[in-house]
Amino acid sequence: MTAPAPWERAARGAMLLDGAGRAAPTVFAEMSALAARTGAINLGQGFPDEDGPRVVLDAAHAALDAGLNQYPPGRGRPELLEAVAQHQRRFYGIELDPGREVLVTAGATEALAATVLALVDDGDEVVTLEPFYDAYGAVIGLAGGVHRTVPMRGAEFAVDHAELRAAFSDRTALVIVNDPHNPTGTVLDASTRQLVVDLARRHDAVLVTDEVYEHLLFDGAAHVPLSTLPGAAERTLGISSGGKTFSTTGWKIGWLTGPEHLVSKVMTVKQYLTFVNGSVFQPAIAVGLGLPDEWFAGLAAGLQRRRDVLADGLVAAGFSVAPSRGGYFVVADAAPLGFSDAADLCRRLPELAGVVGVPVSAFCHEEAAVEHASRIRFAFCKRTEVLEQAARQLAALRV
């Protein structure tokens, strides 16, 4: 029997292979195309419908006009490397050498891919929570790794500590922790964070943290990077980006931070992926990272208000809504409305309510998908009037 080709492993890891072994489009592409075709409000894909802060956009224009249009340094432009290091010190008390412990990437997704390809070999195990962002499964499959998942259960997507312990073994090479979590909006509690670190230490695994929603926490919550916990810093690679924080998802400016011995391994792979990117956008994101504290607080407060508009509308429409404590998304259960198959409902929602969402089952392997079969992820990173209109249209489902 012929071994699966790399593209097959990636597609299978992202749950995109159909019964005939063909690669299907991602659910995000499918639902965005459905929204475009029908004119429905697109609450499926997580991108804002407004530009980021003017000062950041102006900095990109200024960089272009200044002629920064050629290759930037392979590690990243110095002003962004320094800005990332200052950001980590300012918000979390993390000290970094910008020349050795920071790496600029083509978004968080490239940072993740380069990390997995650098540190995971055939048969190595990688632990994530489930539901999981589909790129995790894709790059684990591409690297020839084995994906071990820990289910997030119940209405609040809780992590069972016994199941977390059971997912680890001496074959565990890597642990990927997305906190705040996509798609559920969950923020891990302190005991779960510490247990992840303890298990990684016990099994000598590298911790990889996906922190792209680090500034988008609600209801008074504060982000706690795993690298700040005792015993974690020497084995943790932190990944973040400017796309979510500054509403510039198309710029694809991300970064990776951590100890030099790990960052250098990732850079060895990363330089043969995109090599470099975003010459004029890197200085602009550096400007954004230096914005005052009140700007970051206002960002979270504004997004929390939008969350509440959509969540209240979904409840009024008859959905059961899970708490969203961070990120761009709220998860709604359609079961109270009589819909048990969210994937089918999402394909019908443009006709029924003029809205598009994404089924949570698309973020799960087959067994876990059953538990989340009636749940839909909706994005609230949209203008308030768009969310209000979506809420009014979704109310038609209750009639």
Side-chain angles (χ1 to χ4, degrees):
M1 184 176 178
T2 304
W7 73 267
E8 291 177 282
R9 297 199 304 270
R12 189 180 304 279
M15 300 161 294
L16 296 181
L17 283 187
D18 64 18
R22 297 167 301 201
T26 69
V27 69
F28 314 108
E30 178 188 358
M31 293 302 161
S32 288
L34 181 61
R37 189 168 64 249
T38 62
I41 297 173
N42 187 359
L43 303 185
Q45 198 164 2
F47 59 85
D49 59 359
E50 293 180 295
D51 280 336
R54 187 71 250 172
V55 65
V56 173
L57 303 181
D58 287 345
H61 285 283
L64 188 152
D65 291 338
L68 300 183
N69 301 304
Q70 309 309 321
Y71 296 135
R75 186 177 287 273
R77 288 200 56 84
E79 59 266 50
L80 180 53
L81 298 176
E82 181 62 38
V84 170
Q86 290 181 3
H87 170 275
Q88 296 302 95
R89 181 186 309 117
R90 168 186 169 191
F91 285 99
Y92 311 122
I94 298 171
E95 295 291 337
L96 295 168
D97 181 335
R100 298 185 302 116
E101 297 178 317
V102 183
L103 174 64
V104 176
T105 60
T109 301
E110 189 200 28
L112 173 77
T115 298
V116 173
L117 292 172
L119 302 178
V120 174
D121 207 348
D122 285 350
D124 286 345
E125 296 186 357
V126 181
V127 175
T128 75
L129 301 177
E130 188 172 22
F132 57 88
Y133 181 47
D134 61 345
Y136 300 169
V139 295
I140 293 167
L142 185 61
V146 178
H147 192 181
R148 302 293 186 201
T149 63
V150 180
M152 303 175 78
R153 299 195 183 278
E156 297 203 8
F157 298 100
V159 177
D160 181 274
H161 286 192
E163 292 183 313
L164 182 58
R165 291 188 185 93
F168 281 75
S169 76
D170 290 339
R171 295 182 300 277
T172 305
L174 215 65
V175 187
I176 302 174
V177 179
N178 179 206
D179 182 29
H181 184 261
N182 173 23
T184 68
T186 300
V187 173
L188 296 182
D189 59 72
S191 62
T192 301
R193 289 192 202 103
Q194 188 60 60
L195 180 56
V196 170
V197 172
D198 293 344
L199 290 168
R201 293 181 66 192
R202 184 179 309 162
H203 296 284
D204 195 26
V206 174
L207 278 162
V208 179
T209 60
D210 178 348
E211 304 177 51
V212 297
Y213 298 106
E214 61 185 309
H215 289 295
L216 309 181
L217 280 88
F218 315 130
D219 306 316
H223 181 57
V224 180
L226 287 185
S227 62
T228 63
L229 300 183
E234 64 269 21
R235 64 176 63 252
T236 302
L237 288 168
I239 293 172
S240 193
S241 78
K244 305 299 191 296
T245 301
F246 304 114
S247 297
T248 53
T249 58
W251 289 11
K252 298 300 290 181
I253 302 297
W255 51 86
L256 176 139
T257 62
E260 182 184 14
H261 74 278
L262 292 176
V263 173
S264 63
K265 292 174 182 177
V266 177
M267 185 173 177
T268 300
V269 172
K270 179 264 184 294
Q271 65 189 343
Y272 297 112
L273 298 177
T274 58
F275 175 45
V276 293
N277 71 292
S279 60
V280 300
F281 299 132
Q282 290 188 31
I285 293 298
V287 169
L289 289 174
L291 288 172
D293 289 357
E294 54 265 31
W295 184 87
F296 289 93
L299 169 70
L303 201 57
Q304 179 177 320
R305 289 191 292 271
R306 299 182 192 201
R307 175 204 65 177
D308 292 343
V309 168
L310 181 58
D312 290 348
L314 288 164
V315 170
F319 290 89
S320 173
V321 177
S324 174
R325 298 186 172 93
Y328 270 179
F329 309 106
V330 63
V331 172
D333 194 335
L337 286 163
F339 298 100
S340 59
D341 185 344
D344 176 66
L345 176 58
C346 284
R347 293 181 176 96
R348 297 170 56 202
L349 265 181
E351 174 191 349
L352 296 174
V355 175
V356 163
V358 170
V360 173
S361 59
F363 300 85
C364 303
H365 292 126
E366 188 173 346
E367 182 177 347
V370 174
E371 183 171 347
H372 302 294
S374 58
R375 291 171 168 166
I376 301 174
R377 188 195 77 170
F378 292 101
F380 52 80
C381 50
K382 311 293 181 181
R383 288 171 288 126
T384 300
E385 57 267 32
V386 172
L387 299 172
E388 290 172 340
Q389 182 62 37
R392 287 192 293 270
Q393 293 175 195
L394 286 164
L397 294 173
R398 197 164 195 172
V399 177

